[in-house]
Amino acid sequence: MKLNIDGLLVYFPYDYIYPEQYSYMLELKRTLDAKGHGVLEMPSGTGKTISLLSLIVAYQKAYPLEVTKLVYCSRTVPEIEKVVEELRKLMDYYTKQTGAKNDFLALALSSRKNLCIHPEVSSLRFGKEVDGKCHSLTASYIRAQHHSNPSQPVCQFYEEFDSVGRQVPISPGIYNLDDLKDLGRRKGWCPYFLARYAILHANIVVYSYHYLLDPKIADVVSKELAKKSVVVFDEAHNIDNVCIDSMSVNITRRTLDRCQTNVETLQNTISKIKETDAAKLREEYRRLVEGLKEANVARETDIYLSNPVLPDEILQEAVPGSIRTAEHFVGFMKRFLEYLKARLRIHHVVQESAPQFLKDIFEKVCIDRKPLRFCAERLRSLLRTLEIADIADFSAITLISHFATLVSTYSKGFTIIIEPFEDKTPTIANPVLHFSCMDPSIAIKPVFGRFQSVIITSGTLSPLDIYPRILDFRPVTVASFTMTLARTCLCPLIVGRGNDQVAMTSKFETREDFAVIRNYGNLLLEMSAVVPDGIVAFFTSYIYMENIVASWYEQGILENIQRNKLIFIETQDAAETSMALEKYQEACENGRGAILLSVARGKVSEGIDFVHHFGRAVIMFGVPYVYTQSRILKARLEYLREQFQIRENDFLTFDAMRHAAQCVGRVIRGKTDYGLMIFADKRYARADKRGKLPRWIQEHLTDGSLNLTIDETVQLSKHFLRQMAQPFRQEDQLGLSLLTLEQLQSEDMLQKIAQIAHQA
Amino acid sequence: MDDQGCPRCKTTKYRNPSLKLMVNVCGHTLCESCVDMLFVRGSGNCVQCDTPLRKSNFRVQLFEDPAIDKEVEIRKKVLKIYNKREFDFSTLKEYNDYLEQVEDIVFNLTNNVDVESTKQIMEQYQRDNRDVIQKNKAKLTREQEELEELLLLEQQDSEQRRLETLQEEQRQLQAKRKNKQALLDKLESSRLPAAVLLAQHKDRAAQLETQIEKQKQNVKPTNIFSTGIMIGQTVSLASVSRVEEVLYVYQPVYIDTYGPPVPELDHLGRQGYLNHVRTASPQDQAGGYTSGLACHRALQDAFSGLFPL
């Protein structure tokens, strides 16, 4: 259908539209008009993706000069594929309606591992191996060697692409990863490099967060994207953790040992090269004397994404004299390495700030701050000069050099924690140096600064005001949309007590309590008897799950449950888990019914959907607080309080509740879907916890469903399930939660829609 | 670490965890007991390279690689002499060249390349730059200064935080004590039954507790974003409209003097005006003063005093 969104003609590829989709598009349009950033929350399963895509594409078509590109960031490869499929539907609709040929280029980008078509390279199992192997076939000096010595292997796909691929623009269309591979095979071009080249002139790019947020990758892939792009972060409820992870460095004793071998290899290569080809080193030296001009020229026009690891000042200055020659630099790295080794040889935990670290390093090994800052760039230059083919081997020393640059660049927002052993095993020495970023805004700042609109959206972003605070940006629109429902298809219940009136909670003091574990078991047992098909149960951690399941086994609860349903368990092993999931789905499919025991923050809670009969109930055992005793977390909490005035408790609760909401949100994936959401902890009934749930769940939490006992829960569930089991036709939804164009344009519907958008 | 050992007596860290390894200027290790035994007389030669050593120069080995210990030792010595700072050079390039030179010297000394000539270069340098070296001895580099400043700031912050929490605790303690005293006083003087008083006291104590709890939760609210914009302040998102205006052009001031024009500054000397004013002393002229300036100003004053009748 064709919609008129605030004066903009939007083609929407479906015959019906949800009212919240309409208001979502309205908000989005306003954000784009203002050229600002937005935070939008809309429940999963209400068609966020298609609303986003159809509005932004329409905007691009209407104002090609205002918005030139859409960069859509998602988390996993399946999600990326889903987005591309939606986009394909939209584009087909456009061609059908307008009759004009599609002139849009949209493509997905993923790692070499997912895109490589080289027969040997693509058969490797790990992403790092593929990258390394690819590099050893496509690096510029390898190819130069190939010219003089044809027996040197190169990748024919890359050669082909390099010789002709750049001149011929890729024809407009929608390309997912497989399409790219097909195209690559047909033409004999490398799909990975083709895609990387094509994103520069593509209208829509779909890729993973890391291509924008991880400074090491962003610098390679995304730095040339135009300013007038719209960036969308979908499923962005974890974006702060992604930012933090991309800037943090963990150094173990093993890293240092590998780094040691790296340094030795470097030293040997240098002395070898000195005998055979000293001119090369001299050439590099000459270049360094003149400064990192090359890189600087590229940045002059300010069309590039700035890189937090490589601050701009570095590019304007020459490399300090003390690390200019290759030998001196290797000596410098050696000293730095030995210093780190000495630091790791401690018997108690040390926590210090970056300035303290710098002061100490100057006193101990006379390393100044300035050469440290240039470390990463200098190493890169050296590796290039030495023509080292397999970069993967040098990951350890690269990591150390990144650490050196970061620690000397940022005096705030980072902390260094050296732990001689893990908390769980205080007798085994396993020293780790955590250089942990506490400020997610550092990694994401270039993105906000560079692109005119950044949209952060997810099903669970509550409370909405916290994201702008921790990411340090000013959104122009902040909105939360609820689901309009023809029938209340979700039923959140808070179970606080067992039948014996003992409070149910995963609080630390009582989590070992026999009564609590038994009550949890009884709850699951009772539910397994009433709920049809699949039940998903989430625990707060793997250890907790193991403990509970073990005592359920002893108490015979497990046996009773298995009379009703089969039980599957998520483990830390990815292969095992996917096997369990497959079998779980099979059991649901053939009507036997199953229970999946999994863990909040685990793989299942983040990426797997349980549509329809795959999940009729979710049970959240306990509040999934993060492990609060970790020093990194403590440092971060302190930083949040000092810098952003966010209280520790607020943040912890916020973090726990967003994960809880993620978990229970798995069960509702659309308006025809229905499911129970059971929060099994009395602490959920408190206002501070309840208030942090997304609005679309809170709406259905009545006072009558707080602090229930197991019996009451079973009663309510039975009632709810019986109601939901009635046949549900599309006509029932029409006009209420599903609109045709005429219905949408009616006066009172527009009024209703205006009320949906909840201004936070 | 465990496989490190003394090359002479072959003891390893594994066998003797309290083993202490020492290094001297030549960069060869010995364990503490060997040092004590071999250098009873205070000096002797290195077991491995025959360099004459003093016992007092033995240091505890800090790093796994004794070469690093040696290098750091040498580096510290060299840096004492080569202590020029960035602002001692006119361009960054010169400074970088200097840094490289220092690095070369350290490299040569640690790897025993041209030790004699390098030492000579160092001595030469020391003679040539005695003043600078003396001067820079006390000074820190700019970066170190920055670091010190940051550290100081950090310290102050944590100190202040500590004091605040301390004060807070003190205040709470006092409030509690006062409450208790009040109860005792009341019990002494009031006519109400003790049970009621106790209940009242309990109530008050609970109130106090919640108050304290609330205060603890209260983080100082901020009214400013880290971007410097006040919270609640509405910022117009429309781009600032561009004002098209003619550029300002300077026009010299014209003063109508109703008489003959004021003589130009440059012509004062030629027309003999300067003969009648005091000539500027060299001290005056150093600051840019010329006698013409004062004379011209006086003339301007005089001429603007004319009026038509």
Side-chain angles (χ1 to χ4, degrees):
Chain A
M1 75 173 93
K2 285 187 224 170
L3 301 168
N4 174 9
I5 307 275
D6 207 5
L8 178 76
L9 177 67
V10 174
Y11 285 85
F12 192 76
Y14 297 101
D15 294 334
Y16 305 102
I17 185 170
Y18 297 143
E20 57 269 26
Q21 284 182 316
Y22 183 76
S23 47
Y24 187 87
M25 286 198 245
L26 270 177
E27 282 298 326
L28 193 58
K29 162 94 174 19
R30 261 176 236 155
T31 318
L32 294 186
D33 281 340
K35 296 194 188 352
H37 311 315
V39 178
L40 301 173
E41 179 188 51
M42 186 153 93
S44 42
T46 47
K48 258 194 314 280
T49 312
I50 191 62
S51 323
L52 266 167
L53 287 174
S54 44
L55 187 97
I56 296 177
V57 167
Y59 205 92
Q60 265 178 304
K61 295 223 176 202
Y63 311 102
L65 294 177
E66 299 286 321
V67 172
T68 54
K69 197 189 288 280
L70 163 65
V71 181
Y72 197 104
C73 300
S74 205
R75 281 185 314 182
T76 56
V77 175
E79 273 169 29
I80 290 174
E81 298 274 357
K82 252 196 291 188
V83 173
V84 177
E85 285 324 304
E86 289 284 343
L87 194 60
R88 200 189 300 277
K89 230 178 260 167
L90 177 66
M91 285 304 167
D92 287 347
Y93 186 70
Y94 260 101
T95 19
K96 214 160 65 190
Q97 287 295 313
T98 55
K101 219 180 146 305
N102 175 31
D103 55 348
F104 253 53
L105 174 60
L107 52 92
L109 177 66
S110 183
S111 63
R112 287 184 176 89
K113 187 177 173 291
N114 293 322
L115 277 175
C116 185
I117 52 170
H118 190 280
E120 262 173 63
V121 181
S122 58
S123 61
L124 291 171
R125 261 193 71 202
F126 297 105
K128 260 193 186 152
E129 287 175 352
V130 176
D131 288 354
K133 187 80 183 153
C134 177
H135 189 82
S136 69
L137 291 175
T138 56
S140 56
Y141 41 84
I142 298 285
R143 296 175 54 222
Q145 279 171 22
H146 176 71
H147 271 289
S148 53
N149 170 21
S151 65
Q152 173 85 30
V154 289
C155 174
Q156 75 270 21
F157 295 104
Y158 182 74
E159 294 301 317
E160 191 68 22
F161 165 69
D162 198 48
S163 53
V164 288
R166 281 183 223 275
Q167 283 87 30
V168 193
I170 180 169
S171 59
I174 316 292
Y175 297 90
N176 65 15
L177 299 178
D178 286 332
D179 295 338
L180 282 170
K181 273 174 152 173
D182 278 347
L183 182 77
R185 283 209 190 87
R186 238 185 6 255
K187 301 217 173 186
W189 296 347
C190 171
Y192 174 74
F193 283 97
L194 176 68
R196 253 179 62 180
Y197 178 68
I199 61 171
L200 297 184
H201 53 261
N203 302 87
I204 299 172
V205 183
V206 186
Y207 57 30
S208 129
Y209 282 6
H210 298 277
Y211 288 99
L212 265 185
L213 292 181
D214 194 329
K216 293 148 237 160
I217 314 173
D219 203 38
V220 183
V221 179
S222 308
K223 65 176 180 179
E224 294 181 43
L225 297 181
K227 171 155 186 15
K228 288 186 174 170
S229 308
V230 175
V231 176
V232 175
F233 288 106
D234 197 1
E235 303 289 332
H237 47 269
N238 257 342
I239 196 165
D240 54 325
N241 292 335
V242 177
C243 290
I244 281 178
D245 286 346
S246 73
M247 295 292 277
S248 298
V249 178
N250 290 333
I251 297 171
T252 60
R253 183 67 214 192
R254 251 190 76 206
T255 326
L256 293 181
D257 288 341
R258 274 170 43 218
C259 190
Q260 176 90 37
T261 40
N262 288 163
V263 171
E264 275 155 24
T265 331
L266 279 182
Q267 207 165 14
N268 294 339
T269 328
I270 287 171
S271 54
K272 221 184 289 164
I273 275 202
K274 247 191 160 174
E275 283 161 17
T276 55
D277 194 4
K280 210 179 275 166
L281 281 176
R282 271 205 299 281
E283 166 63 22
E284 186 206 21
Y285 174 75
R286 191 193 55 71
R287 209 161 37 77
L288 291 179
V289 171
E290 282 168 19
L292 298 164
K293 289 270 165 54
E294 268 186 318
N296 195 12
V297 169
R299 242 180 229 214
E300 242 168 15
T301 43
D302 188 34
I303 53 167
Y304 295 126
L305 200 62
S306 64
N307 181 347
V309 174
L310 192 66
D312 277 329
E313 309 94 83
I314 284 191
L315 297 171
Q316 272 133 34
E317 257 189 67
V319 167
S322 44
I323 53 170
R324 235 162 24 188
T325 68
E327 287 103 340
H328 293 168
F329 178 64
V330 172
F332 170 86
M333 281 312 281
K334 245 189 194 165
R335 256 182 298 145
F336 185 55
L337 186 61
E338 285 295 333
Y339 171 76
L340 287 181
K341 274 188 191 168
R343 284 308 298 271
L344 278 190
R345 227 170 28 228
I346 45 155
H347 301 290
H348 55 268
V349 179
V350 177
Q351 177 173 4
E352 61 184 17
S353 64
Q356 278 168 328
F357 182 84
L358 289 177
K359 193 176 172 206
D360 192 55
I361 199 170
F362 180 75
E363 277 163 9
K364 292 265 169 61
V365 285
C366 306
I367 288 183
D368 271 325
R369 187 177 181 179
K370 201 162 160 203
L372 269 183
R373 294 183 73 175
F374 284 83
C375 195
E377 198 51 27
R378 180 69 187 87
L379 179 73
R380 208 189 294 178
S381 155
L382 183 68
L383 289 179
R384 218 166 28 221
T385 317
L386 297 181
E387 308 196 337
I388 284 163
D390 205 351
I391 296 291
D393 281 351
F394 283 84
S395 57
I397 196 168
T398 322
L399 189 77
I400 301 278
S401 73
H402 277 304
F403 165 61
T405 304
L406 281 173
V407 78
S408 49
T409 307
Y410 293 100
S411 53
K412 257 192 163 177
F414 287 86
T415 187
I416 297 165
I417 296 171
I418 309 175
E419 288 178 313
F421 44 73
E422 273 175 46
D423 277 343
K424 285 174 217 146
T425 51
T427 47
I428 304 162
N430 176 26
V432 188
L433 186 149
H434 302 280
F435 178 64
S436 95
C437 174
M438 297 180 293
D439 190 348
S441 68
I442 293 175
I444 205 167
K445 189 169 239 149
V447 177
F448 283 123
R450 175 146 158 64
F451 298 109
Q452 68 177 24
S453 290
V454 177
I455 313 291
I456 289 185
T457 185
S458 173
T460 46
L461 283 176
S462 295
L464 288 167
D465 62 325
I466 209 159
Y467 283 89
R469 269 158 83 191
I470 56 179
L471 297 179
D472 195 16
F473 73 104
R474 304 197 69 236
V476 292
T477 46
V478 176
S480 170
F481 306 92
T482 57
M483 235 194 291
T484 47
L485 295 170
R487 53 173 191 172
T488 39
C489 68
L490 65 158
C491 176
L493 301 171
I494 296 175
V495 189
R497 293 165 289 152
N499 287 340
D500 49 5
Q501 301 302 323
V502 175
M504 271 207 260
T505 172
S506 71
K507 220 184 335 195
F508 183 74
E509 295 84 28
T510 60
R511 60 167 45 177
E512 304 293 313
D513 194 338
F514 213 62
V516 172
I517 296 178
R518 192 186 54 231
N519 276 333
Y520 274 159
N522 280 337
L523 175 65
L524 189 62
L525 177 62
E526 299 278 344
M527 293 317 288
S528 73
V530 269
V531 177
D533 299 322
I535 299 179
V536 191
F538 289 98
F539 293 85
T540 50
S541 69
Y542 283 106
I543 306 169
Y544 188 52
M545 176 165 77
E546 275 163 30
N547 283 345
I548 284 201
V549 173
S551 45
W552 281 351
Y553 177 74
E554 279 163 17
Q555 294 171 19
I557 295 176
L558 225 47
E559 201 183 333
N560 287 332
I561 293 175
Q562 268 178 323
R563 285 199 192 115
N564 300 327
K565 286 185 196 307
L566 297 179
I567 295 180
F568 298 92
I569 297 183
E570 179 192 5
T571 57
Q572 267 150 322
D573 185 339
E576 239 172 52
T577 303
S578 54
M579 181 73 167
L581 253 174
E582 200 181 298
K583 293 293 166 202
Y584 168 81
Q585 277 165 353
E586 202 182 311
C588 290
E589 201 69 75
N590 64 23
R592 176 70 171 81
I595 295 175
L596 182 68
L597 304 180
S598 50
V599 169
R601 296 165 198 276
K603 184 172 166 256
V604 171
S605 74
E606 282 295 328
I608 314 287
D609 293 344
F610 296 96
V611 250
H612 296 296
H613 58 284
F614 290 130
R616 284 301 182 210
V618 189
I619 307 176
M620 184 74 233
F621 289 115
V623 185
Y625 278 113
V626 62
Y627 175 59
T628 47
Q629 294 309 305
S630 114
R631 289 188 185 82
I632 300 175
L633 181 74
K634 277 185 183 161
R636 187 171 171 210
L637 289 176
E638 190 161 318
Y639 184 81
L640 281 174
R641 196 189 51 211
E642 303 270 293
Q643 221 58 35
F644 299 120
Q645 280 72 42
I646 296 171
R647 275 182 259 138
E648 280 105 334
N649 259 334
D650 272 356
F651 183 79
L652 286 176
T653 320
F654 152 73
D655 186 64
M657 292 317 284
R658 72 171 162 185
H659 280 103
Q662 258 311 297
C663 292
V664 296
R666 298 287 106 199
V667 75
I668 303 272
R669 307 316 285 181
K671 292 194 176 178
T672 51
D673 204 354
Y674 63 89
L676 283 160
M677 299 174 168
I678 297 172
F679 297 92
D681 194 311
K682 70 163 187 190
R683 287 175 291 172
Y684 283 111
R686 278 192 217 151
D688 66 319
K689 306 265 185 319
R690 218 162 10 117
K692 287 193 168 76
L693 282 172
R695 209 165 73 96
W696 56 277
I697 296 180
Q698 259 184 71
E699 267 186 349
H700 298 280
L701 255 180
T702 52
D703 282 342
S705 52
L706 304 178
N707 203 16
L708 304 170
T709 64
I710 294 176
D711 274 346
E712 289 162 345
T713 314
V714 171
Q715 284 312 312
L716 283 172
S717 311
K718 270 186 185 162
H719 181 71
F720 170 76
L721 289 167
R722 199 173 301 132
Q723 256 186 345
M724 287 298 121
Q726 306 310 313
F728 185 58
R729 293 178 311 264
Q730 197 179 41
E731 293 87 75
D732 302 332
Q733 279 196 66
L734 266 182
L736 276 171
S737 61
L738 194 66
L739 305 176
T740 59
L741 191 56
E742 295 85 63
Q743 284 167 333
L744 181 67
Q745 278 157 351
S746 69
E747 202 50 45
D748 49 326
M749 187 44 83
L750 286 177
Q751 236 167 35
K752 238 189 234 169
I753 285 171
Q755 285 167 3
I756 290 179
H758 166 72
Q759 295 295 332
Chain B
M1 194 68 200
D2 283 348
D3 47 355
Q4 276 191 322
C6 172
R8 191 174 164 277
C9 60
K10 311 292 185 208
T11 321
T12 60
K13 268 258 157 99
Y14 180 70
R15 273 186 279 169
N16 177 11
S18 63
L19 180 78
K20 235 188 208 165
L21 291 172
M22 317 280 277
V23 210
N24 208 319
V25 284
C26 66
H28 292 122
T29 21
L30 272 182
C31 71
E32 201 177 16
S33 52
C34 286
V35 170
D36 282 341
M37 200 165 67
L38 288 173
F39 295 82
V40 188
R41 279 190 284 161
S43 67
N45 287 1
C46 172
V47 193
Q48 293 173 58
C49 64
D50 254 1
T51 321
L53 302 172
R54 269 168 206 259
K55 189 185 177 189
S56 58
N57 282 348
F58 271 102
R59 303 258 174 277
V60 175
Q61 183 181 341
L62 272 177
F63 305 104
E64 270 173 41
D65 187 356
I68 300 288
D69 276 295
K70 180 186 170 191
E71 191 190 333
V72 170
E73 189 91 341
I74 292 172
R75 186 176 291 274
K76 279 188 180 152
K77 243 183 234 163
V78 173
L79 285 181
K80 251 186 205 148
I81 301 169
Y82 285 85
N83 61 0
K84 279 196 186 171
R85 311 286 184 236
E86 196 177 336
F87 46 76
D88 290 330
F89 298 90
S90 48
T91 65
L92 188 67
K93 194 164 178 308
E94 278 173 39
Y95 177 59
N96 279 332
D97 288 342
Y98 161 83
L99 280 179
E100 195 182 332
Q101 191 195 344
V102 175
E103 209 63 30
D104 266 330
I105 290 169
V106 175
F107 186 81
N108 285 348
L109 287 179
T110 26
N111 295 325
N112 300 325
V113 187
D114 304 331
V115 178
E116 282 314 308
S117 59
T118 315
K119 276 197 175 146
Q120 263 169 20
I121 294 175
M122 270 174 71
E123 269 164 32
Q124 179 69 31
Y125 176 86
Q126 195 172 9
R127 266 196 306 267
D128 293 349
N129 297 293
R130 187 158 295 146
D131 295 353
V132 185
I133 293 170
Q134 273 303 327
K135 207 177 72 192
N136 282 343
K137 224 173 213 171
K139 263 193 255 171
L140 295 169
T141 64
R142 191 166 45 88
E143 284 177 356
Q144 278 168 305
E145 271 171 24
E146 269 171 29
L147 274 186
E148 290 293 330
E149 211 169 284
L150 278 173
L151 281 178
L152 199 70
L153 221 78
E154 226 168 75
Q155 227 170 28
Q156 280 172 350
D157 271 2
S158 62
E159 181 68 13
Q160 188 163 4
R161 222 174 309 141
R162 202 181 57 82
L163 274 180
E164 263 170 29
T165 43
L166 211 70
Q167 275 175 359
E168 190 56 35
E169 266 169 32
Q170 207 90 59
R171 223 175 305 140
Q172 284 167 19
L173 215 67
Q174 233 162 27
K176 270 185 197 161
R177 206 175 294 148
K178 221 164 113 190
N179 198 13
K180 204 164 185 186
Q181 192 58 47
L183 171 72
L184 290 181
D185 289 349
K186 275 238 181 92
L187 282 176
E188 212 172 66
S189 58
S190 172
R191 284 166 191 282
L192 287 167
V196 176
L197 285 179
L198 272 175
Q200 270 177 4
H201 171 72
K202 219 176 186 178
D203 235 27
R204 253 202 319 265
Q207 255 173 26
L208 205 67
E209 207 62 42
T210 48
Q211 229 172 30
I212 288 166
E213 203 50 41
K214 246 187 210 158
Q215 270 172 4
K216 258 191 209 159
Q217 296 260 315
N218 250 337
V219 185
K220 256 182 258 152
T222 169
N223 55 354
I224 201 159
F225 279 109
S226 55
T227 46
I229 299 167
M230 302 291 258
I231 286 175
Q233 180 188 350
T234 48
V235 178
S236 156
L237 291 158
S239 55
V240 181
S241 59
R242 235 171 102 163
V243 188
E244 293 285 347
E245 264 184 330
V246 201
L247 284 181
Y248 175 72
V249 181
Y250 172 73
Q251 264 156 347
V253 193
Y254 172 74
I255 303 162
D256 194 5
T257 53
Y258 305 105
V262 185
E264 296 286 313
L265 184 61
D266 309 337
H267 304 157
L268 290 180
R270 221 180 311 138
Q271 290 169 355
Y273 285 100
L274 288 188
N275 301 341
H276 307 288
V277 293
R278 185 175 61 84
T279 48
S281 65
Q283 284 88 342
D284 296 337
Q285 278 172 343
Y289 171 84
T290 60
S291 43
L293 285 175
C295 183
H296 190 240
R297 195 168 300 158
L299 283 174
Q300 268 178 339
D301 270 0
F303 276 77
S304 57
L306 298 174
F307 289 98
L309 277 174

